[in-house]
Amino acid sequence: PTSYFSQRPILSEKKKLLVKDLPSPQPQGFKGDVGDYSLKLLTSNKDIHVGSPHKLKLKIYGEGSGVYFRNPLEKLCYKPKTCNFEISMIGENRSRKFVKLKEGGYGFYSDLEFEYSILPTAEGKLQFPEAEILFFNPFKEIYETKQIVFPDLKAKGKIPIVKENLTPTTNYLFVYIYILLGISFSFIIY
């Protein structure tokens, strides 16, 4: 077959692979993520108000497949009394490329984005509990924890609702004239 997409056998030299077990004991909360990751937390602006949703984006990126990272802030406010806000995941975007890695081999480089909506429930500085991601770093051969650093966000009071006085702007004189003209024409035609 001459097509680029056709399957064809390719001969290669035999290679031996050494597959290592992950070190024991595994730390509590380890879900199987292996790689070398960095993270950052982005916010659209720092002007937020009680009762108005605000968007946060957590980016996890680096060498590794990233398949086991699932909603990293899921348990951020599992005890509602410890937080002065509510949080919900509103979106997730994953991309992964097979590339040459910094150590010389080939593997995956992943970009993960998790979007959240936070809803302040009280005025003042938002009290974010500690949060982290946990993974095994094969280059350092250790379990690594990265802290999620939250920006300083201060919720202001509720945005006042402005009620507009809606007065009718229709001139009813013209409406009456059109009705009378319609009735007059209907009598003429009838």
Side-chain angles (χ1 to χ4, degrees), residues 37-55:
Y37 299 100
S38 297
L39 56 86
K40 62 182 161 182
L41 192 68
L42 307 169
T43 180
S44 54
N45 63 37
K46 295 189 181 206
D47 189 26
I48 63 174
H49 295 274
V50 172
S52 295
H54 183 75
K55 190 161 90 171

Side-chain angles (χ1 to χ4, degrees), residues 17 63-64 97-109 138-139:
L17 295 177
E63 294 181 358
K97 298 176 191 172
F98 194 75
V99 297
K100 187 169 187 172
L101 304 175
K102 62 185 171 191
E103 295 290 323
Y106 286 87
F108 288 109
Y109 185 91
F139 307 112

Side-chain angles (χ1 to χ4, degrees), residues 135-149:
F135 55 92
F136 179 76
N137 188 325
F139 307 112
K140 297 178 183 176
E141 296 188 356
I142 59 169
Y143 292 98
E144 203 170 331
T145 300
K146 297 257 175 128
Q147 296 293 322
I148 298 171
V149 179

Side-chain angles (χ1 to χ4, degrees), residues 34-122:
V34 176
D36 186 11
Y37 299 100
S38 297
L39 56 86
K40 62 182 161 182
L41 192 68
L42 307 169
T43 180
S44 54
N45 63 37
K46 295 189 181 206
D47 189 26
I48 63 174
H49 295 274
V50 172
S52 295
H54 183 75
K55 190 161 90 171
L56 291 177
K57 185 184 291 188
L58 175 63
K59 295 182 82 155
I60 301 173
Y61 55 95
E63 294 181 358
S65 67
V67 295
Y68 293 104
F69 288 117
R70 300 271 182 233
N71 193 0
L73 301 181
E74 178 178 29
K75 295 185 179 179
L76 187 65
C77 286
Y78 63 94
K79 294 180 183 175
K81 293 183 182 188
T82 62
C83 294
N84 57 352
F85 61 92
E86 297 173 10
I87 186 165
S88 303
M89 190 168 91
I90 56 174
E92 179 180 330
N93 186 21
R94 295 171 176 267
S95 69
R96 185 170 54 196
K97 298 176 191 172
F98 194 75
V99 297
K100 187 169 187 172
L101 304 175
K102 62 185 171 191
E103 295 290 323
Y106 286 87
F108 288 109
Y109 185 91
S110 297
D111 277 309
L112 313 170
E113 293 181 357
F114 300 92
E115 290 185 88
Y116 295 90
S117 173
I118 59 171
L119 186 68
T121 56

Side-chain angles (χ1 to χ4, degrees), residues 145-183:
T145 300
K146 297 257 175 128
Q147 296 293 322
I148 298 171
V149 179
F150 292 94
D152 285 334
L153 295 175
K154 187 175 180 181
K156 299 176 184 173
K158 287 187 175 186
I159 298 175
I161 298 173
V162 179
K163 293 183 179 180
E164 294 182 23
N165 188 6
L166 298 175
T167 56
T169 57
T170 307
N171 189 339
Y172 288 107
L173 178 62
F174 289 113
V175 174
Y176 291 129
I177 292 173
Y178 287 125
I179 291 172
L180 290 174
L181 285 174
I183 292 172

